[in-house]
């Protein structure tokens, strides 16, 4: 072996190992996006969004109704929790309706379409009968149930149009009649216009707008041609312009869009301006629950149509954005249910309910923000009013039933709900057979059959 200059043997270096290519580290943002996407695509995502979103909106609405209505109740010489107790009672009844609707099969929902429509039309006709109908804030749209309880039948007209319209269009689609324009419009549009006429007899323009939005949503989902859709929209728009032009009150509301200071005259814009004041004084996190200033007589309808303004004042921008996020999640889940189903009735009913809730929320919040005229419609599931809460919660129950009825959702729920007396399928101990009480029952039966007692 050759030696080095120092006389020592040369040091033999170990051969280098070939470099192993390591997988590139995944970006944390990409990893989070991947996990969120996988969670978003799960079969029960729509089910949990609808159930959780509606419950959160209702509970937060109860809290805000209690906070916003205390001063109004005391001014009327009523207990401070008067409106809250009535709303809580309506929420309990609505919860029972939601649970019942969520457990009903689709066939029963379709069977209820005509009875609900007939009942809504009958009640809306009774509203116009002298001595039965009541006028509230200038609108003849109420029926007294005795005491302090009243009902507004036009709110149930929304649910009736959704169910009946969805059943009608689904049956015509099964018979392949939607390719003809007369089957697309008749009798859906005439019945919708009849409901609109009964509502407008009482002067409730806001509810009529929501009903019109439901009608257009059903026509859009049914695949109405652009010319047909534009024609119906033009007729409805022309009727709306005439109704607004012939009413000084509606013209005054239209003039208050974007107002920042009260005016003198018919269009004083007091409510719209003080709604902006309430939102502006809330800041990022609000003045605190119950600490609103505008609800002390400055802001009319603080616990009904303008409860979103009180929410902004007490909970701030974070509170209002949370409410918007809940409604956005609810709307997304409804669209997802309508888009993934194979049943035409489920598609039209889910789309109609989603259009109803989304349009009503946009109109209410837009009016509070000064972007739209004040239409006098409550914020769904949030504002005070049992007549609006009951049909809305039933409609949420429809969405929950439709979300549960998806094949993938049914399979996922079946794995999470074990049968009575058995282990969960696929879980530990699933092959052991029945539980102990079943074994003991067989032993007792065998003992009795052998003559022992």
């Amino acid at each position: 072996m050759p030696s080095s200059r120092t006389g020592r043997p040369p040091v033999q270096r170990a051969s280098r190992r070939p470099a192993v290519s390591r997988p590139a580290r995944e970006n944390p943002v990409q990893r989070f996006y991947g996990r969120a996407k996988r969670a978003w695509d799960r079969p029960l995502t729509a089910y949990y969004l609808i159930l959780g979103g509606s419950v959160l909106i209702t509970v937060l609405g109860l809290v805000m109704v209690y906070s916003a209505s205390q001063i109004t109740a005391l001014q009327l010489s009523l207990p401070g929790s008067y409106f809250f107790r009535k709303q809580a009672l309506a929420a309990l009844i609505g919860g029972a309706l939601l649970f019942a609707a969520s457990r009903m099969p689709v066939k029963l929902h379709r069977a209820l379409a005509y009875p609900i429509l007939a009942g809504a039309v009958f009640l809306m006709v009774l509203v116009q009968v002298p001595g039965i109908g009541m006028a509230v804030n200038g609108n003849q749209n109420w029926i007294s149930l005795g005491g302090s309880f009243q009902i507004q039948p036009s709110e149930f007209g929304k649910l009736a149009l959704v169910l009946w319209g969805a059943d009608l269009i689904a049956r015509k689609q099964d018979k392949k009649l939607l390719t003809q324009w007369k089957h697309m419009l008749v009798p859906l549009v005439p019945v919708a216009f009849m409901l609109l006429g009964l509502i407008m007899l009482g002067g409730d323009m806001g509810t009529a707008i929501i009903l019109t939005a439901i009608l257009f949503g059903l026509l859009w989902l049914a695949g109405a041609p652009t010319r047909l859709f534009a024609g119906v929209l033009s007729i409805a728009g022309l009727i709306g312009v005439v109704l607004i032009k012939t009413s000084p009150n509606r013209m005054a509301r239209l003039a208050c869009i974007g107002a920042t200071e009260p005016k003198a005259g018919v269009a004083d814009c007091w409510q719209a301006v003080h709604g902006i004041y309430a939102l502006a004084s809330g800041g990022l996190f609000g003045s605190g629950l119950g600490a609103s200033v505008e609800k002390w007589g400055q802001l009319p309808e603080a616990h009904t149509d303008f409860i979103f303004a009180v929410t902004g004042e007490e909970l701030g921008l974070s509170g209002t954005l949370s409410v918007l996020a809940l409604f956005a999640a609810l709307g997304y889940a409804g669209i997802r249910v309508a888009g993934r189903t194979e049943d035409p009735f489920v598609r039209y009913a889910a789309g109609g309910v989603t259009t109803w809730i989304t349009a009503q929320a946009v109109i209410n919040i837009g009016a509070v923000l000064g972007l739209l005229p004040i239409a006098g419609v409550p914020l769904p599931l949030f504002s005070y009013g049992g007549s609006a809460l009951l049909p809305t919660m039933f409609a949420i129950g429809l969405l929950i039933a439709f979300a549960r009825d998806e094949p993938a959702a049914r399979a996922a729920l079946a794995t999470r709900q074990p049968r009575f007396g058995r282990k969960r399928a696929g879980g530990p101990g699933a092959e052991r057979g029945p539980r102990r009480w079943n074994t003991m029952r067989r032993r007792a039966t065998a003992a009795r059959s052998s003559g022992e007692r």
Side-chain angles (χ1 to χ4, degrees), residues 234-307:
S234 301
I235 294 174
L238 180 61
I239 295 175
V241 169
V242 172
L243 292 175
I244 292 174
K245 286 286 187 180
T246 55
S247 174
N249 183 32
R250 298 188 187 116
M251 288 297 297
R253 293 186 179 187
L254 194 64
C256 291
I257 296 179
T260 57
E261 293 182 1
K263 304 176 183 178
V266 179
D268 58 356
C269 303
W270 180 271
Q271 187 177 19
V273 170
H274 279 273
I276 297 295
Y277 289 170
L279 291 172
S281 59
L284 186 59
F285 298 105
S287 58
L289 192 62
S292 171
V293 175
E294 291 293 332
K295 69 182 181 183
W296 287 76
Q298 299 296 322
L299 180 63
E301 308 296 337
H303 61 295
T304 55
D305 300 344
F306 270 66
I307 193 171

Side-chain angles (χ1 to χ4, degrees), residues 15 43 111 132 263 274 281-282 325-326 334 388-389 408 419 421 438-439:
S15 59
I132 298 179
K263 304 176 183 178
H274 279 273
S281 59
L326 289 174
L389 185 62
R419 295 181 180 179
N438 278 335
T439 307

Side-chain angles (χ1 to χ4, degrees), residues 345-362:
F345 172 78
V346 173
R347 182 185 307 114
Y348 299 135
V353 171
T354 306
T355 303
W356 162 15
I357 295 176
T358 305
Q360 188 164 329
V362 168

Side-chain angles (χ1 to χ4, degrees), residues 102-344:
S102 66
R103 295 294 176 174
M104 289 181 185
V106 175
K107 290 183 179 180
L108 184 55
H109 290 146
R110 300 187 70 167
L112 290 175
Y114 282 86
I116 292 178
L117 177 64
V121 172
F122 177 72
L123 292 176
M124 291 166 69
V125 171
L126 284 183
V127 168
Q128 307 304 324
V129 177
I132 298 179
M134 293 181 56
V136 178
N137 295 330
N139 292 339
Q140 184 83 10
N141 285 309
W142 298 83
I143 295 177
S144 177
L145 299 180
S148 60
F149 292 95
Q150 304 166 353
I151 187 173
Q152 188 177 3
S154 58
E155 293 291 340
F156 295 88
K158 304 173 186 176
L159 178 63
L161 181 59
V162 167
L163 284 177
W164 177 80
D167 177 69
L168 175 70
I169 299 175
R171 285 189 289 108
K172 289 195 173 188
Q173 179 176 335
D174 293 338
K175 297 179 181 179
K176 299 181 180 180
L177 297 175
L178 293 181
T179 55
Q180 306 176 27
W181 68 268
K182 61 179 181 180
H183 285 288
M184 179 76 71
L185 297 181
V186 180
L188 177 63
V189 175
V191 171
F193 278 15
M194 177 190 67
L195 294 174
L196 289 171
L198 291 173
I199 292 173
M200 289 308 301
L201 284 176
D204 191 356
M205 186 74 175
T207 305
I209 293 174
I210 305 300
L211 213 67
T212 305
I214 295 174
L215 172 62
F216 287 140
L218 291 174
L219 290 176
W220 181 270
L221 291 170
T226 305
R227 294 177 300 173
L228 191 63
F229 194 84
V232 177
L233 181 62
S234 301
I235 294 174
L238 180 61
I239 295 175
V241 169
V242 172
L243 292 175
I244 292 174
K245 286 286 187 180
T246 55
S247 174
N249 183 32
R250 298 188 187 116
M251 288 297 297
R253 293 186 179 187
L254 194 64
C256 291
I257 296 179
T260 57
E261 293 182 1
K263 304 176 183 178
V266 179
D268 58 356
C269 303
W270 180 271
Q271 187 177 19
V273 170
H274 279 273
I276 297 295
Y277 289 170
L279 291 172
S281 59
L284 186 59
F285 298 105
S287 58
L289 192 62
S292 171
V293 175
E294 291 293 332
K295 69 182 181 183
W296 287 76
Q298 299 296 322
L299 180 63
E301 308 296 337
H303 61 295
T304 55
D305 300 344
F306 270 66
I307 193 171
F308 189 75
V310 179
T311 304
E313 186 179 5
E314 294 187 351
L315 303 183
L317 181 64
S318 59
T320 55
L321 290 180
S322 299
V323 175
L324 291 175
L326 289 174
F327 276 109
L330 198 60
Y332 166 79
I335 294 174
R336 174 170 170 163
V337 170
R340 292 194 173 191
T341 183
E342 298 293 336
D343 190 336

Side-chain angles (χ1 to χ4, degrees), residues 376-388:
V377 296
L379 191 58
L381 302 173
F382 203 82
S383 297
Y384 170 79
S387 295

